[in-house]
Amino acid sequence: MKVTVIGGGSTYTPELIDGFIRSAEKLDLTEVVLLDTDPERLKVVGEFSQRMTAHARAPFTVALSQDRPSALKGSDFVLTQIRVGGQKGRHKDIKLGHAHGLIGQETTGVGGFAKALRTIPVMQEITKDIKDYCPDAWVVNFTNPSGLITESLHWMGLSRVVGLCNIPIGAVMDLALYLQCDPDRITIDYVGLNHLSWIRKVFLDGEDVTERIISDLAEQKGPANIPELEYDPAFVRALGFIPSPYLRYFYATSDMLGKQWAKPKSRAQEVMEIENELLAMYKDESVVTKPEALSKRGGAFYSKIAIDLVTSLMGLNDQTHIVNVLAGDCVDGIGAGQVVEISAHISKDKIVPLKVEPPEPKILGLMQAVKAYETLAVEAGILRSYDAALMALSIHPLCGPEKAKLVLDDLLKINKLEFR
């Protein structure tokens, strides 16, 4: 099996290589190609990845490439993890929001929109080459904003595509710590969009323990990072669901904006420092295993969810995974051609989303508003449509019509994008 990683110069890549090392024989993996446009990053991360595989005596090779056609040719799986504009672009996205008195964040609000508009044109080029050089490959998208980008890939004509995020598995792992049990004993009723999701029910060995968890969350005694902000206890009880950490930006907008303003450095600047530390470690030829410092970068369980998914798609272990997938008729109130983040049964070359109970009014309105924004953002990115972009920002709960045009004009100028 051949796997191509687009964005192979990412500091996340050694996490993925570590997972491949542990699962190589089961997967019959023979080659991993790391593809990147940054030659320096590719060399540092790639050579470290090669040392990792050599040290582990892994049965697959790691090749480095800047030529997309040759890297893609014959691939069985293509993993996309690109960041167009890099961390410097992310920092600009954060500051764009703040300049207009809005949340500045990588995937949510105006920052996520800016990232999407930079990314979609590059994904169009990548999609064309996938169709030409490995049309039967499965595309596993990690590129943020994951749900929106995954939806754009469907618009571009890819059918064997699925989006992944570590938020669902991170929530299960956090619940397992809180309940002091093995994660396999937990099942959850999960519904929403990427970075806009809710756990409606938690079952431990089939027993519903949701009420206990909600009660503890209201008293700030629940799972460590769910939620990461002190919501009013009355709100937590009324919601009755476990909100994803990203819902802080919607449920506590003013508080989150204040916290962002108070920080001396943006998250992008913090990540740049972490990446410099990691790259220095990767350059050290004595380092041959994944460093502990990689955990500071975020993306916990990244390799686990990727390899579990690949294993299922190869027919080696049918499982249910929470993924970003077309809704079909599985989520009432969401269009069939729109991407949602829900459970799906995954088996050999097949992803079947599972019907969920209709979203309750207390969450459906927000889901529909953000989903409409995402679909308009996809249209704007693919067609380079100013009108679609303007309406996307106008209906986004974290922007709105009063600021949409000013934000959009600044965004296009900063990113040197031409829309008509």
Side-chain angles (χ1 to χ4, degrees), residues 43-225:
K43 183 177 188 296
V44 172
V45 175
E47 290 182 354
F48 174 52
S49 299
Q50 290 171 335
R51 292 199 307 276
M52 289 176 66
T53 55
H55 175 74
R57 298 182 180 178
F60 64 92
T61 61
V62 175
L64 315 184
S65 177
Q66 289 192 276
D67 181 66
R68 196 159 58 223
S70 64
L72 289 172
K73 189 173 182 180
S75 289
D76 300 286
F77 287 87
V78 178
L79 277 56
T80 56
Q81 52 176 38
I82 66 174
R83 182 181 295 278
V84 181
Q87 294 296 337
K88 291 182 179 179
R90 180 181 184 176
H91 179 68
K92 290 178 182 178
D93 295 341
I94 292 170
K95 292 304 179 185
L96 170 68
H98 291 173
H100 293 274
L102 303 170
I103 291 290
Q105 212 280 324
E106 174 193 13
T107 59
T108 298
V110 300
F113 185 58
K115 188 174 191 298
L117 293 190
R118 287 197 304 272
T119 302
I120 287 173
V122 178
M123 282 297 193
Q124 287 179 292
E125 298 172 6
I126 290 170
T127 296
K128 181 181 182 302
D129 284 344
I130 288 172
K131 290 177 179 178
D132 288 343
Y133 297 101
C134 53
D136 296 325
W138 276 99
V139 178
V140 181
N141 177 58
F142 284 97
T143 299
N144 276 324
S146 183
L148 193 161
I149 296 300
T150 300
E151 187 165 319
S152 79
L153 293 173
H154 281 287
W155 272 50
M156 296 171 201
L158 292 181
S159 57
R160 292 162 72 92
V161 58
V162 61
L164 281 186
C165 178
N166 69 331
I167 291 293
I169 190 173
V172 171
M173 294 299 185
D174 201 49
L175 285 165
L177 285 173
Y178 163 71
L179 295 168
Q180 297 186 326
C181 69
D182 189 290
D184 292 340
R185 295 172 58 193
I186 295 173
T187 54
I188 58 176
D189 170 8
Y190 184 104
V191 66
L193 314 177
N194 179 236
H195 289 185
L196 192 97
S197 57
W198 296 263
I199 297 174
R200 297 189 290 187
K201 292 287 184 183
V202 179
F203 299 92
L204 175 61
D205 296 331
E207 178 187 355
D208 187 345
V209 294
T210 314
E211 187 174 338
R212 164 189 163 190
I213 295 171
I214 296 299
S215 178
D216 281 355
L217 280 174
E219 301 302 324
Q220 288 293 300
K221 296 186 296 187
N225 64 351

